[in-house]
Amino acid sequence: MRELVEHLASGHKLDAQNLNTLLHGCVEDGDVLQLLRESAVRTAREQFGLGIYVRGLVEVSSYCRADCMYCGLRRSNRSAERYRLTADEILECCKEGYALGFRTFVLQGGEDGTHSDAWLEEVICRIRSNYPDVAITLSLGERSEESYARLRRAGANRYLLRHESADSELYASLHPASRGLEHRLACIEALKRCGYQVGMGMMIGVKGQRIDHIVKDILLMSEYDCEMVGIGPFIPHGATPLGSEPAGDIRLTLATVAIMRLLLPKALIPSTTALATLSPEGRNAGILSGANVVMPNLSPSDVRKKYAIYENKASWGSEAAEGLAALDRELRAIGYHIDFSRGDYIK
Ligand code: 5AD
């Protein structure tokens, strides 16, 4: 096991069989996991020092035409409370965020059919002209390449589109109404062609996922050489078909984060809200596995509970934009601090 970790840490790849062995090793033996995490932390510190980038998350709409089995915002969830921010409300979030020090705004939302290219273009142009020095990240699901291109020209820099699973059967079982993995990957490739910094990722521990599926995810993200990687544990939401399934394993999540750090040393990897939601130590544990980004919630406080992709989603205290001082204190307790710069991917 030690050799496998050292192999990764010295910049080499591992094949599927070795990745499988390593992930099993991490689940079965805490010492192996610890060794892997320490290597990942070393690599992250070489790249980014002790600064953790912050991104202000604006949840622009809870309407969604998709019907993902795991997500509380799925179309079939009649009990979900729906809202849609106006352009002015989004700009107000950015104003507050900018004053707090954020230099990246992430506009995230369900696949809201009313979000036309023209409307989004206007929102992006307004943010861009008010704040020329910020990075604008979009996380709005599958759209056409023309749409991605237009939003990119309007001033968006980055796009998060998790691939969700590199296995087409597992992908199909989680997204029964979607156009499938092939279409998702085509979107990711379109985003790359448009010149976005692209984020991929998936949940750990969702129903039907085995370790060999995670190995495929790792190999796919490594092959695509993506700039950002989002990995969090699955958390059940009662009003979804997976509502009584167990949550994902934290150790397996941390092991996967650490492996991605070693495979993609320069990638921007958040310690996800899902990790922070599952355990009070979750956010620090992600950072101590090689993550280097945190995404505090900048949405208006009255909509935060409505953006329930899973239950009890952390959006207060140090997960909230107003809680930056608390976040910085918690980071300092483990030797890190907030880095307020834009934090672009550097080749
Ligand atoms: N648990 C954890 N993560 C989830 N996501 C959606 N639903 C859940 C859940 N129940 C993740 C998906 C999606 C992102 C917005 O959040 O990976 O891409």
Side-chain angles (χ1 to χ4, degrees):
M1 291 293 176
R2 177 175 287 276
E3 277 168 31
L4 294 181
V5 175
E6 281 166 5
H7 194 73
L8 272 181
S10 59
H12 297 93
K13 308 229 175 261
L14 289 179
D15 64 13
Q17 201 189 334
N18 280 321
L19 284 170
N20 212 296
T21 306
L22 181 56
L23 282 174
H24 277 285
C26 287
V27 174
E28 285 150 24
D29 183 344
D31 291 342
V32 174
L33 175 60
Q34 196 49 33
L35 188 70
L36 174 67
R37 292 176 64 197
E38 283 165 12
S39 297
V41 163
R42 225 171 289 126
T43 297
R45 287 192 193 162
E46 278 163 23
Q47 298 293 334
F48 306 101
L50 295 165
I52 299 294
Y53 296 129
V54 286
R55 321 298 199 192
L57 183 64
V58 185
E59 294 155 334
V60 296
S61 173
S62 70
Y63 285 90
C64 193
R65 64 178 159 230
D67 213 25
C68 312
M69 301 291 271
Y70 44 80
C71 183
L73 300 185
R74 69 199 304 263
R75 170 181 80 204
S76 309
N77 181 9
R78 290 283 135 75
S79 61
E81 287 189 71
R82 308 291 175 172
Y83 72 90
R84 175 181 298 125
L85 298 185
T86 63
D88 285 345
E89 285 170 324
I90 296 171
L91 266 292
E92 191 54 36
C93 293
C94 295
K95 186 177 172 194
E96 275 177 38
Y98 196 88
L100 288 165
F102 287 98
R103 293 297 176 268
T104 293
F105 300 124
V106 182
L107 308 188
Q108 184 163 83
E111 294 194 357
D112 184 334
T114 75
H115 278 167
S116 67
D117 292 343
W119 185 82
L120 287 167
E121 186 174 48
E122 195 201 314
V123 172
I124 293 164
C125 286
R126 285 177 65 187
I127 298 174
R128 177 55 64 229
S129 70
N130 288 358
Y131 311 105
D133 57 330
V134 301
I136 302 174
T137 304
L138 303 179
S139 180
L140 302 168
E142 297 187 356
R143 303 180 70 88
S144 69
E145 180 158 0
E146 299 74 66
S147 172
Y148 290 148
R150 194 164 157 188
L151 304 181
R152 173 88 184 96
R153 281 195 301 273
N157 312 94
R158 309 179 186 146
Y159 204 105
L160 307 175
L161 185 63
R162 289 187 176 183
H163 67 283
E164 309 293 357
S165 172
D167 181 273
S168 47
E169 273 174 42
L170 179 58
Y171 187 97
S173 80
L174 296 173
H175 310 97
S178 93
R179 287 195 268 177
L181 176 60
E182 229 180 288
H183 185 262
R184 175 60 57 114
L185 296 182
C187 287
I188 290 171
E189 284 162 25
L191 288 164
K192 280 177 170 264
R193 280 194 294 275
C194 293
Y196 287 93
Q197 295 166 44
V198 179
M200 299 172 67
M202 70 290 173
M203 291 170 283
I204 300 294
V206 69
K207 186 174 188 229
Q209 185 194 55
R210 302 183 306 259
I211 288 207
D212 58 285
H213 291 128
I214 300 174
V215 168
K216 283 178 119 179
D217 292 323
I218 292 171
L219 291 171
L220 181 76
M221 291 188 287
S222 164
E223 183 199 328
Y224 272 60
D225 197 20
C226 51
E227 286 85 11
M228 299 171 284
V229 174
I231 297 172
F234 163 72
I235 302 175
H237 184 298
T240 66
L242 306 187
S244 22
E245 299 297 324
D249 183 71
I250 295 204
R251 286 185 305 169
L252 191 53
T253 306
L254 299 177
T256 310
V257 167
I259 290 174
M260 288 318 302
R261 166 57 64 214
L262 294 173
L263 286 171
L264 300 174
K266 296 174 188 299
L268 300 157
I269 305 183
S271 184
T272 50
T273 305
L275 260 177
T277 299
L278 264 199
S279 139
E281 267 78 62
R283 178 169 5 85
N284 284 352
I287 290 163
L288 295 175
S289 305
N292 72 314
V293 174
V294 177
M295 299 168 65
N297 197 308
L298 198 51
S299 307
S301 41
D302 57 313
V303 308
R304 279 184 205 174
K305 63 179 179 311
K306 298 183 191 162
Y307 198 82
I309 52 181
Y310 45 82
E311 279 154 357
N312 306 315
K313 184 158 106 358
S315 61
W316 304 103
S318 45
E319 284 299 318
E322 330 71 83
L324 279 182
L327 173 62
D328 196 54
R329 267 197 305 281
E330 288 170 34
L331 292 176
R332 285 182 191 274
I334 55 166
Y336 290 79
H337 56 266
I338 293 178
D339 180 338
F340 279 102
S341 58
R342 243 176 87 136
D344 279 295
Y345 181 85
I346 300 175
K347 270 261 175 253

